[in-house]
Amino acid sequence: MPLSGLIRVVFGRLSITGVVFALAFFCAALTPSLMPREAVVQGALCGVAAALGYLLGAMLSALWGFLEIPKLETDRRQTLLVVALLGLIAVGASLRHADVWQNSTLALWQQPPLDTVHPFQVVLVAGAVFTALVLVGRLFQVLFQMLAAHMAVVLPRRIALLGGLAAAILIFWSVGENLLLRGALRLADSSFKQLDNLLEDQIAAPSSPLRTGGPGSLLAWHGLGREGRNFIASGPDASEISAFWDRPALEPIRVYAGLNSAETIAERVQLALDELIRQGGFERSTLVIVTPTGTGWVDPAAMDTLEYLHRGDVASVALQYSYLTSWLSLLVEPEYGLDSARSLFRAVYDHWKNLPETERPKLVLYGLSLGALNSQNSADLLDIVADPFHGALWAGPPFQSAMWRDITANREPGSPAWLPRYQDGSVIRFTSQENHLGEATAPWGPLRIVYLQYASDPVVFFDLWSLYRPPEWLNGDRGPDVSPVLRWYPVLTMLQLLFDMMIATNSPLGHGHMYAPEHHIEPWIAVTGLDVDPETVERLKQHFAGTMRTP
C-alpha cells in the first residue's frame, strides 16, 4: 500500500471526540508512575495511550449516535483544526515538563537527573505505535461491519449492531489471547528448552563429586540449563565465607534440576531429591526449597547472603519449570510452574518430616517474583499445620498472589498497603529497604513468614482495578521511593503500571523489581531464627552493598 493510501486508511474521517481523547491520553501518559521511562518506552506508552484514548472517544461518539442524541452542528474541518492546534500546544507543554516528572522519581532513587526526555524520539515512536494500533482498529471495524450487515438480514438494525460487535470482540479475543499469545508463549518455551539443550556456555562442569553436575552427580551438567549452571557455579565457597568470619566454614550445597534433566516433573523432582540426599543436604542446619523465576533464574542476592549468614551450613534445592520471563507468565498463565513447585515441596517435605526432629534441618521456602507466587501456593498450610516448616522469605510477591492479597487486604488499620502490618506479627511480617521487622507487637511463633517488597515494584503493585479506582498504595503516606507527584488517572494509570511491570528489572538495585543483597540479610535472620549482633549485620551489608545482579 502506498504511503498516501496508508494515511487515508489511518487518518481518514477521524473522530473528533477520539482525537481529543487521544491527545489528552498522550499528555497524561508522560506523567510519572512507579518506574522512570526511557524515550523508546515512553514513546510506546504514549502511542498505546493515545490509541486507547482515541478508541474511547470514538466509542463515546458512536454511542451518542446509536442513542440518536442530537449533535451540535459545527464545521467539521474548523473544529478539527482547533482541536489539533490546542492539542499540539498541550503536547508541547507536557513534553517540556516530562523530564521534571521523571526526575521526581530519579531523585528519590538517588540517580542522575534527566536533561531531556528526547521529545522527538518519543513522538516518532508514539506515532508509529499509534498508526499500527489504529490499523488493527480499522480491521476490527471492517469485521464488525461485515458481521453486523449479515445479521441485519434477519435481525433489527440495533440488535444486529450489538450482535456484530459482540461477535467481532469474541473473534479478536480468541485469536489474540488463545492462538497468538498463549500459543506463542508455549512455542517459545519449548523452543528455548531445545536451544538450551544444544548450546553450551563457558562455565565448566564442577570437578568435585560434592557438586551438582560433577563426577558422580545424579544430574548431568548440560541438563541443568544455562540458569541452573550459573546457580551451581556461582555463589561463595567455603574459603570466601571463612575469610569473612575468620573461622572455618562449610561448602554450601546447591542442587538444581533443569527442564532438560528429565522428561517429566516427577522424574525431575526425584532426581533433585536423590541428589540432595546424596550430597547430605538433610544433614545441614538449614534447607531451602527454592522456586525460581519464570526463566529458571535463582537470585544470588538471596542465596549468597543466606550462605554467608549460616557460614556455609546451608543446602538449597531448585527445580526449573519454564524459560519464560516472569511478567509474561503473570499476565497470561500465572499458574505456570505451580505443579513443579508443589511436587518439589511435597517430595522434600515428606522426606524431611520423617526424619527425627532433633536431627533434621530447619526447612524454609524462598521465591522471588513468579517464584514467590508459586512458592506460596506450593504448600497447603492446612496440610502442614501439625508439623510446619520453619518459615519462608518471599521477595517481590506478584500482584496475582492470592495469599499476599488477602493478607494485605486484612492488614491492621493505619498501616499502608505498601508496608502492611498483619495482626500481631507473630507469623507474618513485611519489610522493605529499611528493616521494619521489629515493629511487630508479638514475638515470632513456630512459623515465620517474611515478605520483602519495595513500594516502587510494579510487579507487586500492578493493579488491574486502577482502571477505574485509585490503588490503595496511593492512599496515605507514599512509599519512600514513589514519586510524590504521581497521580491516578482512570484507565491510564493501569496502562502505565502495565508498562512499568515490563521494565521493572531495568531499575537500579534496591528499587523496582531489583532486590538488593543487603536487604535480604535481616529477613533471613528473622526467618531462620539466627542471633547475629548488629555490628556483624552492618559489616555483612557493607560486604554486599553495591553488588549488581541481573535476572
Side-chain angles (χ1 to χ4, degrees), residues 208-531:
S208 170
L210 300 178
R211 304 275 283 190
T212 302
S217 174
L218 303 176
L219 289 154
W221 181 246
H222 75 275
L224 304 186
R226 190 173 303 274
E227 296 299 350
R229 293 189 287 267
N230 284 332
F231 175 61
I232 298 301
S234 65
D237 57 25
S239 61
E240 292 173 305
I241 299 172
S242 178
F244 176 84
W245 290 100
D246 196 23
R247 65 189 68 179
L250 295 176
E251 192 79 22
I253 294 174
R254 292 187 174 189
V255 174
Y256 189 102
L259 278 173
N260 287 308
S261 294
E263 285 298 319
T264 67
I265 293 174
E267 291 172 334
R268 292 193 289 270
V269 167
Q270 191 60 51
L271 280 172
L273 178 62
D274 292 344
E275 178 70 10
L276 189 63
I277 295 171
R278 184 189 77 85
Q279 294 191 38
F282 289 93
E283 299 164 19
R284 293 300 174 93
S285 67
T286 302
L287 172 59
V288 187
I289 302 176
V290 178
T291 307
T293 64
T295 60
W297 183 72
V298 177
D299 189 0
M303 300 316 303
D304 292 3
T305 50
L306 179 66
E307 290 163 351
Y308 264 87
L309 278 168
H310 286 266
R311 300 174 191 173
D313 192 12
V314 176
S316 55
V317 57
L319 196 71
Q320 186 181 21
Y321 53 86
S322 172
Y323 291 97
L324 297 176
T325 303
S326 290
W327 70 266
L328 282 174
S329 295
L330 282 171
L331 290 175
V332 181
E333 294 183 301
E335 71 284 356
Y336 207 48
L338 182 55
D339 289 343
S340 291
R342 283 177 173 167
S343 297
L344 180 61
F345 172 80
R346 178 50 59 183
V348 174
Y349 176 78
D350 286 348
H351 184 89
W352 171 84
K353 75 175 182 179
N354 289 319
L355 298 174
E357 288 191 32
T358 56
E359 299 178 15
R360 66 192 188 188
K362 291 178 179 177
L363 181 62
V364 298
L365 278 56
Y366 170 75
L368 165 70
S369 191
L370 185 61
L373 183 149
N374 285 326
S375 182
Q376 289 173 82
N377 294 331
S378 66
D380 188 332
L381 296 183
L382 293 178
D383 290 342
I384 57 94
V385 67
D387 195 2
F389 55 87
H390 195 73
L393 172 57
W394 291 316
F399 68 96
Q400 292 271 24
S401 307
M403 178 178 172
W404 171 86
R405 286 203 310 267
D406 290 342
I407 293 167
T408 302
N410 292 289
R411 65 189 182 276
E412 289 296 302
S415 62
W418 54 271
L419 190 65
R421 291 192 306 275
Y422 184 70
Q423 297 182 353
D424 61 4
S426 60
V427 179
I428 298 171
R429 301 181 189 180
F430 288 77
T431 191
S432 59
Q433 290 96 335
E434 296 294 327
N435 180 28
H436 294 272
L437 297 173
E439 297 176 2
T441 58
W444 281 109
L447 178 62
R448 305 171 174 216
I449 296 175
V450 171
Y451 285 99
L452 172 61
Q453 59 190 38
Y454 297 154
S456 59
D457 187 350
V459 173
V460 178
F461 294 110
F462 174 80
D463 185 357
L464 182 63
W465 307 118
S466 62
L467 184 77
Y468 67 90
R469 71 183 183 197
E472 289 192 32
W473 46 266
L474 275 179
N475 298 331
D477 294 335
R478 297 284 173 90
D481 52 353
V482 175
S483 171
V485 296
L486 192 162
R487 296 291 180 268
W488 172 76
Y489 299 96
V491 180
L492 185 66
T493 294
M494 187 272 289
L495 185 61
Q496 288 178 314
L497 293 175
L498 179 62
F499 271 74
D500 286 346
M501 188 163 56
M502 290 188 282
I503 60 172
T505 55
N506 293 346
S507 59
L509 205 61
H511 303 284
H513 202 53
M514 294 294 293
Y515 287 82
E518 58 269 27
H519 298 151
H520 288 79
I521 294 172
E522 279 140 338
W524 276 132
I525 291 173
V527 168
T528 58
L530 277 179
D531 184 13

Side-chain angles (χ1 to χ4, degrees), residues 80-117:
L80 193 57
L81 182 62
V82 171
V83 167
L85 181 60
L86 293 176
L88 287 175
I89 294 172
V91 166
S94 298
L95 286 168
R96 184 179 179 84
H97 200 68
D99 58 338
V100 176
W101 288 328
Q102 299 300 312
N103 288 337
S104 67
T105 299
L106 292 172
L108 296 175
W109 291 11
Q110 298 181 337
Q111 296 295 303
L114 296 175
D115 294 326
T116 175
V117 293

Side-chain angles (χ1 to χ4, degrees), residues 137-201:
R138 298 295 192 197
L139 178 62
F140 176 86
Q141 185 179 21
V142 169
L143 177 63
F144 156 59
Q145 290 173 342
M146 181 182 68
L147 293 170
H150 280 80
M151 292 182 183
V153 175
V154 294
L155 296 172
R157 174 177 167 271
R158 291 190 178 184
I159 295 178
L161 287 174
L162 291 174
L165 179 62
I169 290 174
L170 180 62
I171 292 171
F172 260 64
W173 180 266
S174 298
V175 172
E177 203 259 351
N178 292 322
L179 180 61
L180 297 181
L181 195 52
R182 289 184 184 270
L185 288 177
R186 290 191 177 278
L187 178 62
D189 197 28
S190 175
S191 300
F192 280 122
K193 175 182 176 180
Q194 299 301 323
L195 184 63
D196 198 71
N197 192 34
L198 296 173
L199 295 179
E200 289 292 334
D201 50 34

